[in-house]
């Protein structure tokens, strides 16, 4: 269980940042949240809640700029029969703001958080998540996508990280406890420019928990 909390002092927002944030929040419907990547309103589903939580973590914990991310990015993958088809990455991460498959470096599969009622959620092991890991491996591809090295499958409770290596006999996938930091930090970029939060949330409070 990893608990990540952004305990940094809030960045100073410009008047323009505040005005843009106010406009976005005012335009939201009751069943909408703001996509952290695009700044657009999206339907608030259980899966979307998980996706937005992960995106905030990628930005504030790993230093990956949102300009290097895309939602529902189509990835061309191979099949056991040799045919190729397209699968969508819920979050795709690139090495620049040029969003092409050649620049794809990490992918995330997001699922809705399980509803357990009064039951306590049990964190599964990698051995107990064969189906989920097979789905992630298919999305990450094999030796045809050598630069796509890191993947994550999560439902908000479970987080399964995989790292891919290409060797003589093709691709191998290794379970990892975490991801490496992003290759590019935010530098002096204002975090306030990314403070696109749901109606009623305070823009100076940034809190993230990975269960």
């Amino acid at each position: 269980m990893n608990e990540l909390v952004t305990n940094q002092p809030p960045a100073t927002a410009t008047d323009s940042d505040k005005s843009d944030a106010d406009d976005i929040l005012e335009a939201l419907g009751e069943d909408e949240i703001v996509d952290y990547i695009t700044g657009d309103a999206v339907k608030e589903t259980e899966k979307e809640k998980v996706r937005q939580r992960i995106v905030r973590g990628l930005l504030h914990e790993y230093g990956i700029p949102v300009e290097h991310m895309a939602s529902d990015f189509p990835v061309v993958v191979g099949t056991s029969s040799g045919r190729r088809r397209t699968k969508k990455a819920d979050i795709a991460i690139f090495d620049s703001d040029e969003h092409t498959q050649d620049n794809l470096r990490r992918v995330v599969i997001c699922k809705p958080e399980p509803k357990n009622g009064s039951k306590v959620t049990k964190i599964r092991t990698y051995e107990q998540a064969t189906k989920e890991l097979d789905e992630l491996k298919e999305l990450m591809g094999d030796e045809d996508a050598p630069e796509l090295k890191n993947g994550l499958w999560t439902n908000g409770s479970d987080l399964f990280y995989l790292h891919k290596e290409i060797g003589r006999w093709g691709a191998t996938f290794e379970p990892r406890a975490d991801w490496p930091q992003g290759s590019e930090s935010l530098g002096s970029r204002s975090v306030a420019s990314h403070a696109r939060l749901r109606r009623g949330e305070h823009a100076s409070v940034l809190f993230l928990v990975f269960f």
Side-chain angles (χ1 to χ4, degrees):
M1 180 180 294
N2 296 331
E3 183 171 340
L4 304 179
V5 180
T6 57
N7 191 26
Q8 302 173 357
T12 301
T14 66
D15 290 340
S16 177
D17 289 332
K18 294 177 181 178
S19 177
D20 290 345
D22 289 343
D23 290 344
I24 291 170
L25 293 176
E26 286 296 327
L28 285 180
E30 291 301 324
D31 61 344
E32 291 181 326
I33 55 177
V34 179
D35 181 9
Y36 226 64
I37 296 176
T38 65
D40 297 329
V42 293
K43 185 175 179 59
E44 183 182 27
T45 64
E46 294 304 311
K47 174 179 175 177
E48 195 63 48
K49 290 178 184 177
V50 172
R51 173 158 45 191
Q52 295 304 319
R53 185 193 309 170
I54 297 301
V55 169
R56 291 197 299 271
L58 295 173
L59 170 65
H60 296 291
E61 299 297 326
Y62 291 89
I64 299 173
V66 293
E67 291 84 0
H68 292 192
M69 304 184 210
S71 297
D72 297 323
F73 182 80
V75 180
V76 178
V77 299
T79 65
S80 57
S81 64
R83 300 179 61 184
R84 304 191 74 78
R85 61 192 182 95
T86 299
K87 289 178 64 69
K88 286 187 177 181
D90 295 309
I91 305 171
I93 301 163
F94 308 87
D95 68 354
S96 71
D97 57 5
E98 185 177 352
H99 297 176
T100 66
Q101 185 149 336
D102 287 343
N103 286 341
L104 189 59
R105 297 296 180 263
R106 313 185 196 204
V107 290
V108 182
I109 295 175
C110 298
K111 301 293 183 180
E113 194 157 5
K115 297 179 179 180
N116 297 291
S118 59
K119 296 181 180 179
V120 176
T121 300
K122 293 183 179 179
I123 305 301
R124 294 177 296 166
T125 65
Y126 279 82
E127 290 74 17
Q128 296 169 326
T130 302
K131 180 180 178 181
E132 291 82 356
L133 293 177
D134 285 345
E135 181 183 8
L136 182 57
K137 290 175 184 178
E138 182 183 13
L139 185 61
M140 293 175 68
D142 49 26
E143 58 266 28
D144 292 336
E147 299 301 324
L148 204 178
K149 294 182 178 295
N150 293 289
L152 167 63
W153 187 101
T154 181
N155 60 7
S157 295
D158 294 320
L159 291 99
F160 297 115
Y161 298 90
L162 287 181
H163 177 77
K164 183 178 72 179
E165 289 288 349
I166 305 298
R168 181 177 179 183
W169 308 111
T172 58
F173 297 87
E174 303 172 356
R176 294 290 173 91
D178 202 351
W179 266 358
Q181 288 292 113
S183 59
E184 183 175 323
S185 65
L186 291 175
S188 60
R189 184 177 181 83
S190 172
V191 174
S193 67
H194 297 290
R196 301 158 175 165
L197 307 177
R198 184 183 175 186
R199 185 197 306 268
E201 291 182 359
H202 194 286
S204 66
V205 178
L206 297 172
F207 176 80
L208 172 69
V209 177
F210 279 177
F211 296 96

